[in-house]
Structures are given as structure tokens and as C-alpha cells.
Amino acid sequence: MSSQSIEALLDVLEKIPDEPAKSGEFALPELMAIACSREVRDDDIVFAGTGLPMLAIMTANLLHAPHAALIYEAGICDGKTMHTPMSVCDVRASYLASTLGGLVDTFAYYLQRGYVSLGFLGGAAIDQYGGANVTSIGEDYFKPDSRLTGSGGNSDIGTMAKRTVFIMLQEKRRFVERNEYTTTPGWWCWDWEKREWKPKKEALKNSPFANCGPEAVVTNMGVFRFDRDGIMYLDTFHPGVPVEKIRDNCSFDLNISRVSGETHYPSYRELFVLREFVDPEGIFLPEPPAYPEMIKRLF
């Protein structure tokens, strides 16, 4: 994107109204990316992966969290991305970066020292306590029904980032009461000495990471959070998705008593930033719905 193009878009951005778009004016992946971006605080140090997490932090940087720093797993710290990276290893993510390192820097220095305040993760399955499985499906670990990709950095990030947000597709088989294999513990952990489940704050009470854990789960159906007992509940439902459908797509008795309403629609300004600045090439987002005439006239 040329400097002239950026200046032109910035001029238009000043005119874009910061009011909610209407139903049909945004795509579901856009809603999910923007819902994730709203989890980013201005003082966050964010560990994000490829895809929607990347779009979320970039959108947040441009709108409400300009001081949030992004760390890519490959070792790029605090880049000011001007072009959407294809992955966490893409050199385009290193533009104006504070440091360029490697895995040792990101995991041993930033993460293990407790600097990371927010991590974005995915998973094949998640249990009602926020524990994630990216290892294997099936009761027998040695002869699983499906062997998955493995932890990578999932367990490290989910255990040591102060807050974690999961981004997942929701299906009944993915939202389970207890994982058959827990790669990344949620708010309840297995005590190997006493052979029982315990709240993380109790199981890891002598660890600096006892209070680190999942804060939200953003799916294609809604946004979930965790109560004081570390149990998942439904916070908001996406437009057009009945609460009962969300409940039916969980293998546990989902708490829906705390639903606060629909997930807030993206604003026109959020959509404009996401489409024109963050992913204008459509690398991770589908072809978006057309802007309404009132926005088109501003171009």
C-alpha cells in the first residue's frame, strides 16, 4: 500500500461514523475478528498467532489500543505491520519492530518471565473449565481415534499468559465436559499426587501462574466467559443464533442464565479499518458484503 493510498484512507476514516453496522452488512469472520479485538487493552503485551488473532490485534492497534505490543511466535516483537503477514514468520510483520529474535526470546524471555498479558489460542476441543486439547482424540492416547498437531506453544501460552482468549469453531464434539487429553489446562488442573481435579489457583498456589488462565472463548456462535469457579458460561450470542442452538452444541450443561444479549455489531469504523487497513487483500477474510450507500459516498 503506497503512502498516498494510506493518507487517502486516513482522510476517509475520519469521516466514517462510529455507529453499529446493520445486519447483513458484515460477515461472520469479521464479527469474530472484531469481537477478539475488543479483548485487547491499551497496555497489553499480546502473543498472537496466524489468522484472526493477527487481525484482531492489528485492528485494536489502529482503533483503541495503539500502545498494545504484539509478539509473534517466530521472534518478532512490537512490529508496526503495514501489510498483512501470511503467517507469524512473514518478514512483513517485522516492519518497525522493537526487536527481532527467535523462539528462545518469545518463550523463555517474554512468556516465562510473565511479560505477556494476553494470548490468543485455538484448539480442537475445549472443556467447560477452559482446558484445551490439541493433541489427540480418543480415550487411548497411544491408539487415538485422531492424532492432532500437538501443543506447539499452546500449553506455554495458555499457562503463562495472564489472560487467554480462545478462537474456535463450535460443535458439540468440540465443547466437552472433560477433555480426553488436556494439552493446556484451564481453571481446573489434575493433581498427579492426589489423583484428583483441583482449581488451578489451589493446584498451582505456589506458582506465579496460579491466576493465569482463559478469559473468553469467541466462536462462530457466541462469546463465552468464566465465572468465579472457573466454569464457562455464555455471555453473548451472535446475531441470528438462538441461545438454545448454542446450548445444544455443547456436551455439557452450559450456563445461559448470565447471557447479556447479542454480541455487539461491528461499527462502520471497525469494519473500515479491518477491510481497508488490516486485510485489504482478503488473505484471511472472505469477500465482505458491500458498504451501504452512506459509507460509499465518503470514498
Side-chain angles (χ1 to χ4, degrees):
M1 189 183 298
S2 67
S3 59
Q4 291 88 350
S5 299
I6 293 173
E7 289 176 4
L9 288 173
L10 287 171
D11 289 340
V12 176
L13 179 60
E14 293 299 315
K15 304 172 186 177
I16 301 294
D18 194 21
E19 62 183 57
K22 296 180 176 60
S23 180
E25 293 178 344
F26 55 87
L28 178 58
E30 292 179 318
L31 174 64
M32 293 175 66
I34 289 170
C36 291
S37 77
R38 292 168 179 164
E39 300 294 325
V40 181
R41 303 169 187 170
D42 196 29
D43 60 348
D44 270 332
I45 297 177
V46 186
F47 206 129
T50 302
L52 292 186
M54 192 184 293
L55 305 187
I57 178 58
M58 291 170 65
T59 302
N61 270 158
L62 290 166
L63 286 171
H64 66 270
H67 301 104
L70 173 59
I71 296 174
Y72 286 116
E73 186 175 343
I76 301 167
C77 178
D78 195 24
K80 302 297 185 289
T81 310
M82 297 299 293
H83 298 274
T84 309
M86 295 290 290
S87 73
V88 295
C89 301
D90 193 330
V91 293
R92 288 178 291 185
S94 64
Y95 180 68
L96 294 180
S98 298
T99 61
L100 294 176
L103 292 173
V104 173
D105 300 278
T106 52
F107 284 96
Y109 183 75
Y110 302 121
L111 193 58
Q112 291 183 15
R113 289 195 175 192
Y115 293 143
V116 177
S117 58
L118 176 62
F120 283 105
L121 290 174
I126 191 168
D127 65 27
Q128 62 179 330
Y129 307 104
N133 179 7
V134 292
T135 303
S136 64
I137 303 296
E139 294 183 4
D140 188 343
Y141 171 78
F142 297 100
K143 295 180 180 179
D145 298 332
S146 298
R147 178 71 69 187
L148 307 174
T149 56
S151 175
N154 199 295
S155 183
D156 305 73
I157 298 166
T159 303
M160 291 182 279
K162 292 181 173 62
R163 298 159 21 242
T164 304
V165 174
F166 284 92
I167 307 172
M168 298 180 63
L169 292 176
Q170 187 176 347
E171 297 176 300
K172 192 166 187 174
R173 61 177 181 163
R174 292 173 177 265
F175 275 60
V176 298
E177 185 174 355
R178 289 283 190 195
N179 283 310
E180 293 170 320
Y181 185 99
T182 298
T183 310
T184 305
W187 287 116
W188 284 69
C189 300
W190 180 251
D191 188 323
W192 286 99
E193 292 183 0
K194 297 188 176 181
R195 310 295 294 180
E196 63 182 15
W197 289 93
K198 282 187 176 181
K200 177 185 278 188
K201 293 179 182 180
E202 181 182 339
L204 302 181
K205 61 183 177 182
N206 296 320
S207 164
F209 306 111
N211 294 309
C212 299
E215 181 168 89
V217 182
V218 178
T219 77
N220 53 316
M221 293 186 180
V223 178
F224 304 78
R225 299 193 185 277
F226 297 85
D227 61 23
R228 291 183 178 180
D229 296 322
I231 300 174
M232 187 188 300
Y233 68 89
L234 179 63
D235 182 26
T236 64
F237 54 92
H238 292 339
V241 183
V243 171
E244 285 304 320
K245 181 178 179 181
I246 298 175
R247 191 173 189 176
D248 290 342
N249 275 275
C250 293
S251 296
F252 55 89
D253 186 16
L254 176 67
N255 180 2
I256 59 173
S257 66
R258 302 180 62 173
V259 174
S260 59
E262 269 192 330
T263 306
H264 291 302
Y265 286 21
S267 71
Y268 290 118
R269 181 165 293 183
E270 287 172 322
L271 288 173
F272 186 81
V273 167
L274 183 63
R275 293 174 183 179
E276 311 303 333
F277 287 91
V278 176
D279 193 15
E281 298 170 290
I283 295 174
F284 298 109
L285 294 173
E287 184 70 25
Y291 289 113
E293 289 301 321
M294 61 174 283
I295 302 298
K296 289 180 180 179
R297 286 196 292 268
L298 299 176
F299 280 82

